[in-house]
Amino acid sequence: MSTPYPFTAIVGQDDLRLGLLLNAVSPAVGGVLVRGEKGTAKSTAVRALAALMPEVSVVPGCRFSCAPASPDPACPDGPHADAAGVPRPARTVELPVGASEDRLVGALDIERALSEGVKAFEPGLLADAHRGILYVDEVNLLHDHLVDLLLDAAAMGASYVEREGVSVRHAARFLLVGTMNPEEGELRPQLLDRFGLTVEVSASRDTDERVEVVRRRLAYDDDPEGFAARWAEEEGALRERIAAARALLPRVVLGDGVLRQIAATCAAFEVDGMRADIVMARTATALAAWAGREEVTADDVRQAALLALPHRRRRNPFDAPGLDEDKLDQTLDEAGGDRGQDDEDPDPGPDGGGDGGGGGGGVPPQADGEDRTPPRADGGADDTPSQAPEGAPDAPGRPAGGEQRPVASAEPFRTKTLSVPGLGEGAAGRRSRARTEHGRTTGARRPEGALTKLHLAATVRAAAPHQRARGRVGRGLVVRRDDLRQATREGREGNLVLFVVDASGSMAARQRMSAVKGAVLSLLLDAYQRRDKVGLVTFRGREAEVALPPTSSVDAAAARLESLPTGGRTPLAAGLLKAHDVLRVERLRDPSRRPLLVVVTDGRATGGPEPVALAGRAGRLHRSEGTASVVVDCETGYVRLGLAGELARELGGTAVTLDELRADAIAGLVKDVTAAGRAA
């Protein structure tokens, strides 16, 4: 087994270390979610934490880590007779993003269960993680069915495996730790709320600190054991401090005044439910114990709020997590009086240092370095499109090339589902019909590999004709491996929704572009809820560009859309061809994920020879490959050329006008898209 990187050797990242250590002191805090850009020691810190956790005492030979003092009465390996416990290190169990359901919860031997009535059960990762740490790297990419199982286990403290009347239950209480890069998509709200704390991490911009990170990492890579030995004393001291804080924790007093501050803070920030209040109380108590105090102070409450509330305040995926610290201070003062200046400062840093500038749970830096300050609501004077002919000199004060500054989007609205026709086999989601592992049963087939979902009736029908030949006696059914049948199920899949947005001068009218952005934001929000990937292609001037490659992060798509400038000619064909290139690459990368093309344009094509005809040929290229498509017609005014409708026919899709879109008429497009796909 490789030597882990020492926890105390991690440079900086005070909030990350504090969040993990508070959970080591009080596992009841409920785990921690670590959000941040890649390469910021997220996984390194989590793996290093296991070496600091106190040992656990387990029943000898129990595969489910039962405690000798209070064994689980329903343990599959029980009942356990009185026996001395065996100490072992706390485990850190990693859940791969692509794990199967059987790998997570365990597997039943269905053949033995049917023929012998024996509950032959192979434990999964939830059993391994009992009384330890369950670590999920890239937790935001975890499949929905695994998220559902995690939610059940976290809520009940137990895992249930049920297959056609055969049931096994075992205890599953663990410290849930997840890491994620927000650029790759957000986490489901239900699972997000299960994490007690959240911390934001980013790479240091201090030169000396970055030099020290590189120096230590190179030293560790050259000699892991020697490097760990040099930090053994610091590791031992930190381990003793955790043990001391755990021993002090039951004596920490949480006064009524502090409880009132906690309740007032949660009410002021309008968090859902009561879990936030409970987590804040436990976190504040752990902070006091970590500082060696027996009484919780207002400063503990403040730090607990910065760790426990930011991820519970998101109302939609376009909201950045974070807290208004001025409002937090005001709420604490009003609920408990001014915080005294003589209060003993908590010692939140794991090595006695500061709190990292108060960053715990604060507003995170933007992952891509973009300024996401919302544009002016009125669009400003520069939003009026230039009336100068193409090629004319730029007007004074106007950006070069006739480019217009971005305008704010209209308010997003609720949409119904735009679905891809046919039956797919893509990743689990909530948009289009597909053959999946979960959903309603539609038939049976011979299993290809391990059996995951038994079709009981089909299995019995397959075994029944052979009972006499197999010498059946008594009531038991003689079942062979060849008799087993896998259930085929139909559910929903996630798709790739690729937006192709016209950003030319003809789209630059403030009201039109604002409505267009509002419509695309509405569809982005729907894509987030449907577990889709999204991409963004824009075209203006002389070319098209991929503003956002396909990703699961609708946050990134919304940010690129808000900052989208307009102006210039309308290279419609270039936009469609660029979209074709994106889809071609994605089909190679993820062939099972079906695309939905959403073209947002007025249909006008300018620049180059025969631009309209060229756009038509590009549309037919998409149609020949069976790509489902919708054209959002942005043409306004009394005189309409109907070019967007012509483009929709070339694509083999359907068109909806901007007026219909603003009136939420896009909600009915699912029937039109499906009908157009069948007609094609």
Side-chain angles (χ1 to χ4, degrees):
M1 182 177 181
S2 61
T3 303
Y5 192 92
F7 190 89
T8 50
I10 296 172
V11 179
Q13 305 296 11
D14 293 335
D15 293 335
L16 169 59
R17 292 186 291 162
L18 176 61
L20 292 172
L21 289 172
L22 290 178
N23 277 277
V25 171
S26 176
V29 166
V32 59
L33 174 65
V34 185
R35 295 166 46 95
E37 58 196 40
K38 49 189 174 290
T40 49
K42 299 189 296 294
S43 300
T44 299
V46 174
R47 295 187 177 107
L49 179 67
L52 303 175
M53 299 288 287
E55 290 185 334
V56 295
S57 180
V58 300
V59 173
C62 178
R63 298 174 297 167
F64 302 88
S65 302
C66 282
S70 56
D72 180 9
C75 176
D77 285 353
H80 298 297
D82 294 338
V86 177
R88 65 160 175 78
R91 292 173 177 165
T92 296
V93 177
E94 296 194 30
L95 171 60
V97 170
S100 66
E101 180 178 333
D102 286 347
R103 184 71 185 97
L104 178 61
V105 301
L108 283 171
D109 190 331
I110 299 297
E111 184 177 355
R112 292 188 63 191
L114 288 177
S115 59
E116 303 175 28
V118 176
K119 293 182 180 179
F121 181 69
E122 183 66 27
L125 296 178
L126 289 180
D128 292 341
H130 180 48
R131 304 176 66 201
I133 301 171
L134 181 63
Y135 171 47
V136 189
D137 192 15
E138 306 295 348
V139 63
N140 51 323
L141 303 182
L142 203 62
H143 290 302
D144 274 1
H145 67 283
L146 297 183
V147 171
D148 293 337
L149 294 171
L150 275 182
L151 288 172
D152 290 342
M156 297 182 292
S159 174
Y160 291 84
V161 183
E162 298 191 11
R163 299 278 178 84
E164 279 72 32
V166 180
S167 177
V168 173
R169 173 209 171 275
H170 64 82
R173 290 182 292 274
F174 46 82
L175 179 63
L176 182 61
V177 180
T179 56
M180 60 174 284
N181 183 349
E183 291 181 344
E184 297 174 341
E186 283 298 337
L187 201 59
R188 279 178 56 181
Q190 295 92 335
L191 185 57
L192 190 64
D193 189 52
R194 284 292 173 185
F195 286 98
L197 310 179
T198 184
V199 294
E200 300 281 342
V201 296
S202 61
S204 172
R205 301 298 183 256
D206 179 81
T207 301
D208 292 337
E209 194 167 286
R210 295 176 74 96
V211 168
E212 185 62 22
V213 170
V214 175
R215 182 181 290 120
R216 293 186 187 183
R217 185 69 210 191
L218 293 178
Y220 170 77
D221 290 341
D222 289 340
D223 183 11
E225 293 183 359
F227 183 83
R230 291 195 293 273
W231 289 90
E233 184 176 347
E234 288 84 351
E235 291 281 288
L238 186 57
R239 194 177 295 109
E240 291 176 1
R241 184 175 176 184
I242 292 173
R246 277 196 169 196
L248 178 62
L249 188 66
R251 302 198 302 271
V252 175
V253 177
L254 190 69
D256 289 343
V258 171
L259 277 174
R260 183 170 293 276
Q261 286 182 315
I262 291 173
T265 301
C266 293
F269 285 98
E270 300 179 349
V271 296
D272 295 333
M274 294 298 298
R275 184 173 287 117
D277 303 63
I278 297 171
V279 171
M280 272 190 65
R282 290 172 174 166
T283 305
T285 304
L287 281 164
W290 177 250
R293 289 183 277 101
E294 294 188 5
E295 186 174 353
V296 177
T297 68
D299 284 327
D300 295 329
V301 175
R302 185 182 193 278
Q303 183 65 42
L306 291 174
L307 291 168
L309 296 188
H311 61 300
R312 293 184 165 88
R313 295 202 63 238
R314 286 174 64 94
R315 290 295 182 264
N316 64 64
F318 308 139
D319 294 338
L323 291 182
D324 182 339
E325 296 195 32
D326 291 336
K327 180 179 178 180
L328 174 61
D329 291 335
Q330 180 182 354
T331 302
L332 291 173
D333 291 342
E334 291 175 352
D338 291 341
R339 291 182 292 140
Q341 298 301 318
D342 296 332
D343 286 348
E344 181 181 354
D345 288 334
D347 187 12
D351 54 1
D355 61 0
V363 177
Q366 301 302 335
D368 52 11
E370 293 178 350
D371 179 7
R372 299 191 183 179
T373 303
R376 289 172 53 186
D378 62 357
D382 291 342
D383 290 339
T384 304
S386 174
Q387 301 300 322
E390 295 181 9
D394 296 320
R398 189 174 304 285
E403 181 178 298
Q404 309 301 315
R405 62 181 295 183
V407 299
S409 66
E411 285 294 322
F413 51 85
R414 182 181 179 87
T415 70
K416 290 187 179 179
T417 309
L418 297 173
S419 65
V420 178
L423 190 64
E425 295 182 348
R430 298 184 177 181
R431 183 172 295 277
S432 305
R433 293 174 56 235
R435 285 182 288 269
T436 62
E437 289 294 319
H438 301 270
R440 64 185 182 89
T441 301
T442 58
R445 60 177 173 81
R446 291 181 181 273
E448 299 173 0
L451 179 71
T452 57
K453 296 292 183 182
L454 177 73
H455 195 296
L456 182 58
T459 299
V460 171
R461 285 196 300 269
H466 308 290
Q467 296 305 295
R468 181 175 298 176
R470 293 171 181 174
R472 172 187 171 183
V473 292
R475 301 175 61 184
L477 186 67
V478 182
V479 180
R480 300 284 187 263
R481 175 65 58 179
D482 289 344
D483 300 328
L484 299 179
R485 294 294 182 268
Q486 173 84 25
T488 58
R489 304 192 175 201
E490 182 179 311
R492 293 281 171 177
E493 67 177 358
N495 298 111
L496 167 59
V497 183
L498 182 61
F499 294 94
V500 182
V501 180
D502 185 347
S504 64
S506 64
M507 297 285 292
R510 181 165 63 245
Q511 295 84 354
R512 179 188 297 181
M513 202 60 197
S514 176
V516 166
K517 287 186 175 182
V520 177
L521 283 175
S522 302
L523 293 172
L524 282 173
L525 180 58
D526 181 69
Y528 164 77
Q529 295 168 340
R530 307 287 175 186
R531 311 290 183 264
D532 294 317
K533 291 178 70 174
V534 296
L536 179 62
V537 172
T538 64
F539 57 94
R540 64 187 182 90
R542 292 183 174 84
E543 59 185 13
E545 65 173 343
V546 181
L548 183 71
T551 175
S552 296
S553 175
V554 297
D555 288 27
R560 301 294 171 85
L561 182 70
E562 286 288 356
S563 61
L564 179 66
T566 56
R569 296 180 176 179
T570 311
L572 178 56
L576 295 174
L577 292 175
K578 181 68 71 174
H580 180 267
D581 290 341
V582 172
L583 295 180
R584 177 179 54 81
V585 172
E586 284 301 306
R587 284 190 179 99
L588 295 174
R589 182 178 299 158
D590 190 358
S592 63
R593 189 180 291 270
R594 298 184 296 163
L596 174 63
L597 187 68
V598 179
V599 185
V600 185
T601 181
D602 57 10
R604 299 180 183 179
T606 59
E610 299 183 346
V612 176
L614 186 59
R617 288 196 293 272
R620 290 193 293 274
L621 180 60
H622 283 281
R623 181 175 184 173
S624 67
E625 296 182 353
T627 303
S629 60
V630 175
V631 178
V632 179
D633 184 359
C634 301
E635 190 175 31
T636 57
Y638 293 105
V639 179
R640 303 194 182 194
L641 303 179
L643 297 176
E646 291 291 338
L647 176 62
R649 284 187 283 275
E650 298 286 7
L651 287 165
T654 188
V656 59
T657 67
L658 185 61
D659 290 339
E660 292 170 337
L661 183 61
R662 290 173 60 86
D664 297 358
I666 197 170
L669 279 180
V670 56
K671 293 181 291 186
D672 295 334
V673 174
T674 304
R678 289 171 179 168

